[in-house]
Amino acid sequence: GYTALKKAFGMQLDEIINEVKKSNLRGRGGAGFPTGMKWGFIPKQSPKPKYLVCNADESEPGTFKDRDIMRYTPHMLIEGMVIGGYAIGAHVGYIYIRGEYTREAKLLDQAIEEAYAKGFLGQNIQGSSFSFDLTVHRGAGAYICGEETGLLNSLEGKRGEPRVKPPFPAQAGAFGGPTIVNNVETLANIPSIINKGGEWFARLGKLEKSGGTRLISISGHVKKPGVYEIPAGSMTVRQLIYDVAGGILNDRKLKAVIPGGSSAPVLTADEIDVIYDIEPLMKVGTMMGSAALMVVNE
């Protein structure tokens, strides 16, 4: 833990962002936007403070992958946020967590306390000139606060309603300052990218545009529901249902699959031989969204 942070402190800021660009890491929250490109939108000079916000709202029905990261490896997320803050020049970070995740909020608070105690958060981190403070902010159960601008309004104490874009958060986000909003899984990937290199991460993915592995929440009428990690773009929906999740419960017939959380258009049983990734699913008229595969039997 935190070896990547020490390595990042020895790198130029542009070098860190370039590694993230090389990695082909795309946002894991639903939009799939290239993370390195997003970080690059932050203005170098700004009269206002910059912010890094982690979207841990995870309120898309059928999605439960981020919960596991916060529950079992919260320090991976914290380390990713400190590196991200350093790269974009933000000294303040927020983890906006959905109100229902009471256990995970407590675990994050504990992990943040541990990180402060060990000098991985706070003033002059590990003897460097960089300071970064991190706070867990709990939501109150509003689905719309999973959308980044609605989340920022809620973070500021306003009603959680989406803002009109432009301006985009990178220009004017939290409290009017330049802001990056990234998903939990996105940020938790950053330490590995810094430790092993962007090209290594890119090679883990099987499609040109999608690097790394993907965490997939599989639920519904399958024998083995759960969170599974696969190389991005390496399997079809059929393989995920039958090879990974053990097939349909009670060996019934498949009726339909909701591939990306409840916002995603439904696939019928004869449409499941499609690669489970962003572009292939878009081509057949649906979306990967938050990588939540819900399986429905006859």
Side-chain angles (χ1 to χ4, degrees):
Y2 296 96
T3 54
L5 177 60
K6 290 168 187 167
K7 186 177 174 184
F9 283 157
M11 296 165 73
Q12 299 293 322
L13 304 187
D14 285 348
E15 212 182 327
I16 297 171
I17 293 175
N18 282 336
E19 283 304 320
V20 178
K21 282 181 181 169
K22 271 191 257 176
S23 74
N24 289 338
L25 172 66
R26 299 170 76 168
R28 302 297 199 234
F33 195 80
T35 306
M37 192 189 288
K38 198 178 197 179
W39 286 12
F41 291 155
I42 285 277
K44 291 260 194 302
Q45 302 299 323
S46 165
K48 291 186 172 176
K50 301 172 188 177
Y51 299 96
L52 178 63
V53 178
C54 171
N55 185 344
D57 194 71
E58 193 162 55
S59 50
E60 186 64 56
T63 317
F64 43 89
K65 63 181 178 67
D66 293 341
R67 183 177 68 187
D68 276 5
I69 294 171
M70 294 183 279
R71 189 174 284 182
Y72 300 115
T73 56
H75 284 285
M76 247 165 94
L77 169 59
I78 295 167
E79 184 177 10
M81 288 197 74
V82 181
I83 294 168
Y86 179 63
I88 66 168
H91 297 286
V92 176
Y94 295 98
I95 300 174
Y96 185 102
I97 189 167
R98 67 183 291 197
E100 295 87 342
Y101 279 0
T102 51
R103 179 183 174 191
E104 288 70 25
K106 279 181 190 156
L107 289 169
L108 281 172
D109 279 334
Q110 282 169 11
I112 287 170
E113 271 179 36
E114 289 166 6
Y116 270 109
K118 296 278 184 192
F120 295 118
L121 282 172
Q123 298 300 303
N124 304 114
I125 294 170
Q126 297 296 299
S128 72
S129 59
F130 180 66
S131 302
F132 190 76
D133 287 303
L134 188 56
T135 305
V136 175
H137 181 97
R138 290 184 61 186
Y143 172 76
I144 195 59
C145 291
E147 190 278 331
E148 64 177 15
T149 60
L151 181 154
L152 292 174
N153 270 345
S154 175
L155 183 69
E156 292 177 9
K158 301 187 184 112
R159 189 183 175 114
E161 293 178 322
R163 298 174 181 179
V164 176
K165 301 178 196 178
F168 289 91
Q171 273 67 53
F175 314 105
T179 304
I180 291 294
V181 183
N182 284 135
N183 165 267
V184 172
E185 186 189 346
T186 311
L187 290 161
N189 275 310
I190 298 298
S192 307
I193 290 168
I194 298 304
N195 264 334
K196 297 187 177 182
E199 284 169 10
W200 166 83
F201 191 84
R203 282 197 306 272
L204 292 175
K206 299 303 169 207
L207 296 179
E208 190 189 348
K209 288 183 181 174
S210 295
T213 58
R214 294 287 314 222
L215 292 180
I216 301 168
S217 317
I218 305 181
S219 64
H221 300 140
V222 289
K223 290 177 184 172
K224 295 190 293 181
V227 177
Y228 293 94
E229 184 173 16
I230 66 161
S234 65
M235 287 189 178
T236 62
V237 174
R238 183 183 298 277
Q239 286 171 306
L240 285 167
I241 295 169
Y242 291 96
D243 300 346
V244 174
I248 309 293
L249 206 57
N250 303 325
D251 296 315
R252 287 193 160 143
K253 270 191 188 153
L254 175 66
K255 175 80 173 173
V257 181
I258 304 164
S262 66
S263 304
V266 178
L267 292 174
T268 59
D270 55 3
E271 294 177 312
I272 60 170
D273 292 303
V274 55
I275 293 285
Y276 192 69
D277 205 70
I278 298 166
E279 279 78 21
L281 286 166
M282 274 169 72
K283 275 184 187 156
V284 296
T286 184
M287 61 189 201
M288 188 176 188
S290 53
L293 202 70
M294 292 187 273
V295 180
V296 184
N297 72 16
E298 59 189 323

